[in-house]
Structures are given as structure tokens and as C-alpha cells.
Amino acid sequence: MRRLMLTVVGALVAVMLMATAALAHITFFDIDNTAFRTSPTTVNVRGTIQCTAGETYTIRVTLTQDGNTGQGTQRGFCSGDLQTWQVEVQLVRGTGFQEGPATACAAAQTRERGTDHRDALRHCETVQIQEVQGGG
């Protein structure tokens, strides 16, 4: 009886581990401290994501600085390793981004293809906007 009980418990643990591994999952998500202005209306925000291999990800970034607001989106495929992402943020309100501090908020969502399994994280970071060498 004891052997049967151990076998059943072991099987249940294995099933739970496999079910957890099959769900969409973001294991790491961050925004770099530096963003790069390519024009007064465009800033590239970068960061790092790690998510379950084979899934797709969508990252949406909102950048705010002194009454200016910009937004951008990037989509990609998860490799399972740490990956660098970059979103081109376009000004949607205000007169233009300047060099200096700004707030970048990024929302990441992953989805396992062909299923409803999803994961989402949101992260905000103070970033320093720098002019790209040779930029406008």
C-alpha cells in the first residue's frame, strides 16, 4: 500500500510539473537605463526579456517626459534565453523629447501559440534619454 501511495504521489508531482512548464511564462523582464533619441519625435527604448521558448511576445512602451508622451510596440518570438528587445517610441502628444530623464513603462505579454496560455508583466524605469551620434 505504501509503495502504491508513493507511486501515485510521484505521478501527481510529475503531472503538475509538466503542466506548469507548458504554460506561457516570463522569467525576466527589464528596461535599460538609457534610451536613444533619433529625432525630437522618436526615442528607442531597449531592455531584456526571457520567456518560454516557442512563445510569442508583445512589448508595449509608453515614454513620458515633461508633458511629452510617446508610444511604441514590438513583437517577437521567445528563444528561452535572455533576449534584447527594442521599441521605437513615437511622440503622440507634446512638442518633442529632449536629452535627460524620462519615465519608460513597458508591458510585456507572452502567448503560447495555438492556446490561451498567457503571461504578462509591467515594469517602469527612469531612463536617461541620450542623443544618438549623428542623430537629428
Side-chain angles (χ1 to χ4, degrees), residues 10 23 26 48 126:
L23 297 178
I26 301 170
T48 308
T126 299

Side-chain angles (χ1 to χ4, degrees), residues 15-75:
V15 167
M16 289 172 53
L17 288 174
M18 288 188 321
T20 302
L23 297 178
H25 195 63
I26 301 170
T27 55
F28 185 82
F29 182 60
D30 199 15
I31 302 169
D32 290 354
N33 293 332
T34 304
F36 298 94
R37 184 179 100 132
T38 58
S39 77
T41 60
T42 305
V43 176
N44 290 322
V45 177
R46 298 176 183 165
T48 308
I49 188 169
Q50 185 173 23
C51 45
T52 306
E55 296 174 355
T56 58
Y57 68 81
T58 302
I59 298 173
R60 291 182 175 84
V61 176
T62 300
L63 184 68
T64 56
Q65 181 192 51
D66 300 327
N68 298 296
T69 301
Q71 296 178 334
T73 302
Q74 189 226 357
R75 291 179 173 82

Side-chain angles (χ1 to χ4, degrees), residues 116-134:
D116 287 334
H117 298 165
R118 298 173 188 260
D119 192 15
L121 286 176
R122 187 169 192 273
H123 180 67
C124 294
E125 184 81 40
T126 299
V127 298
Q128 288 295 319
I129 297 176
Q130 294 181 357
E131 190 77 23
V132 171
Q133 291 291 339

